[in-house]
Amino acid sequence: ERQSTFSLKSCIEKYGEEAGKLRWQQRQDVWQETLKDKTPEEIDIINQKKGTGRMNQLFNRKPEMKNIPGILYLIKFYNEDIVFWKVGITSRTIKERFGSMNKYNLNMDIITENKNMTFYECFKAEQSILNLHKDIRINVNYNGFKTTEAFDEPITI
């Protein structure tokens, strides 16, 4: 919430067009310098926390998104080098969401696909699952496939 009060728009409204843009950019530059000093693990934690915030912002800006049909899924991704389980939500089909994983050299098995929920219910369930299994949660960056919603051992949802 604190960060949402320091947007480019709010700076322009408060300080005027030129001074507002300058003040906002200076703060962005400081944040980027601070980020460069963090370890990859610290950056991963920051990115995990941002995910929840962005979704909450979406629901606040577009409340109608809460009621569209959603899918809560659990997928096992694997190949000869890596295996992980990813939980997630989508308003599309799994095939539309992921297409072919060939470009990442990953196979996938759909473990669970719950289609009987609203998008908001999916989001709440996903957050609960991520919190429940936080001790085995991992961040994946494999051949360009990135996710912060993964686990290094099987889970059930």
Side-chain angles (χ1 to χ4, degrees):
E1 289 179 10
R2 184 177 66 79
Q3 286 182 336
S4 68
T5 63
F6 195 85
S7 66
L8 176 59
K9 180 180 175 186
S10 68
C11 284
I12 291 171
E13 288 172 357
K14 188 172 185 177
Y15 302 105
E17 183 83 23
E18 191 172 317
K21 285 182 177 179
L22 180 62
R23 184 172 283 234
W24 181 85
Q25 188 59 57
Q26 288 171 337
R27 182 146 165 193
Q28 296 304 306
D29 294 343
V30 168
W31 167 241
Q32 289 302 311
E33 283 302 314
T34 302
L35 199 57
K36 288 178 187 173
D37 293 337
K38 297 197 178 300
T39 66
E41 293 79 17
E42 290 173 309
I43 292 170
D44 286 343
I45 290 167
I46 290 167
N47 288 334
Q48 285 177 357
K49 290 178 179 177
K50 282 193 309 190
T52 302
R54 287 185 181 150
M55 195 60 78
N56 277 324
Q57 288 175 0
L58 170 68
F59 292 133
N60 288 335
R61 282 194 317 267
K62 297 184 176 186
E64 67 276 9
M65 289 291 294
K66 287 184 176 182
N67 297 317
I68 65 170
I71 298 171
L72 174 68
Y73 61 81
L74 177 64
I75 298 175
K76 177 183 176 183
F77 290 97
Y78 61 96
N79 66 19
E80 60 281 350
D81 298 323
I82 190 170
V83 61
F84 61 93
W85 290 259
K86 178 184 176 2
V87 66
I89 62 175
T90 185
S91 59
R92 303 177 282 170
T93 68
I94 300 292
K95 185 172 177 123
E96 289 171 330
R97 169 71 175 84
F98 291 103
S100 170
M101 295 304 290
N102 291 341
K103 65 182 175 181
Y104 303 111
N105 188 30
L106 286 169
N107 302 304
M108 70 179 209
D109 293 336
I110 299 170
I111 308 298
T112 304
E113 186 177 10
N114 186 335
K115 298 179 180 181
N116 299 318
M117 303 170 79
T118 67
F119 197 67
Y120 189 65
E121 290 168 334
C122 290
F123 167 70
K124 289 295 192 186
E126 177 193 47
Q127 294 308 303
S128 177
I129 292 161
L130 292 169
N131 189 46
L132 181 65
H133 299 290
K134 63 185 169 195
D135 55 324
I136 59 169
R137 189 170 172 188
I138 60 172
N139 295 295
V140 174
N141 184 353
Y142 184 82
N143 285 344
F145 182 81
K146 297 179 183 181
T147 182
T148 62
E149 299 153 338
F151 308 95
D152 59 2
E153 56 187 71
I155 64 163
T156 56
I157 63 172

